[in-house]
Amino acid sequence: MMMSLARAWLIGGLLCIASEARAQSGAEARAAARRHREANEAKILREFSTLLSMPNVASNHADIRRNAVHLMTMLRQRGATAQILEVPDAPVSVFGEIRAPGATRTIVLYAHFDGQPVDPRQWQGAPFTPVLRDKALFQGGKDIPFPTNG
């Protein structure tokens, strides 16, 4: 699940920041991203959990395509144009773009959404079943419920 955690954090978190900070820079962009996160924490966590729950083993092309469609939706919800890119005999990729009129720089974010096979015996819980814990497992962390609001 660590691979899924990384892909969701990168994609969800960076897209949030990119959509909020299109025409801003520096401290203004950080403040806008912080305000957005604070105002939408429960929604962001639900979306994050949904993405984490999607199996993403690279060899399962149907699952990878479902992930790609989901990521396209996430991009479009943030004002990006998005499309699936396909090359014969290769997994699909997702391309998204947010244009900022007058921009003088281009920012490229890259994240992969394909993971490796999992061995459920090596997991504390079921793979692709997101959980929240009050601290790290090695510190005796216990599962806690996902918040419903706020």
Side-chain angles (χ1 to χ4, degrees):
M1 185 77 115
M2 191 52 90
M3 190 63 65
S4 295
L5 178 63
R7 84 182 150 121
W9 185 85
L10 284 171
I11 294 164
L14 293 175
L15 289 176
C16 166
I17 291 168
S19 66
E20 284 296 311
R22 284 182 203 170
Q24 300 171 348
S25 63
E28 291 175 336
R30 286 187 299 277
R34 182 176 295 110
R35 284 191 306 273
H36 177 82
R37 180 194 50 83
E38 289 171 350
N40 295 283
E41 283 180 336
K43 178 183 173 190
I44 291 167
L45 189 56
R46 282 191 301 274
E47 183 180 47
F48 186 44
S49 178
T50 297
L51 185 61
L52 288 174
S53 68
M54 298 177 70
N56 68 327
V57 176
S59 60
N60 186 324
H61 292 246
D63 282 348
I64 295 301
R65 179 167 291 281
R66 277 189 283 279
N67 274 261
V69 169
H70 187 80
L71 293 171
M72 264 194 351
T73 301
M74 290 174 69
L75 284 162
R76 289 176 177 161
Q77 288 172 341
R78 287 158 176 83
T81 59
Q83 63 182 334
I84 291 178
L85 304 176
E86 298 186 67
V87 175
D89 301 320
V92 297
S93 296
V94 177
F95 174 79
E97 180 178 45
I98 298 174
R99 291 193 172 254
T104 59
R105 297 180 187 190
T106 298
I107 298 172
V108 176
L109 306 174
Y110 170 81
H112 64 90
F113 57 96
D114 60 330
Q116 296 302 307
V118 296
D119 180 353
R121 296 171 298 180
Q122 296 178 343
W123 288 68
Q124 179 70 22
F128 306 110
T129 304
V131 297
L132 288 178
R133 293 196 174 97
D134 59 359
K135 54 188 162 190
L137 279 175
F138 73 88
Q139 295 173 323
K142 304 288 184 223
D143 292 1
I144 57 174
F146 280 86
T148 55
N149 293 310

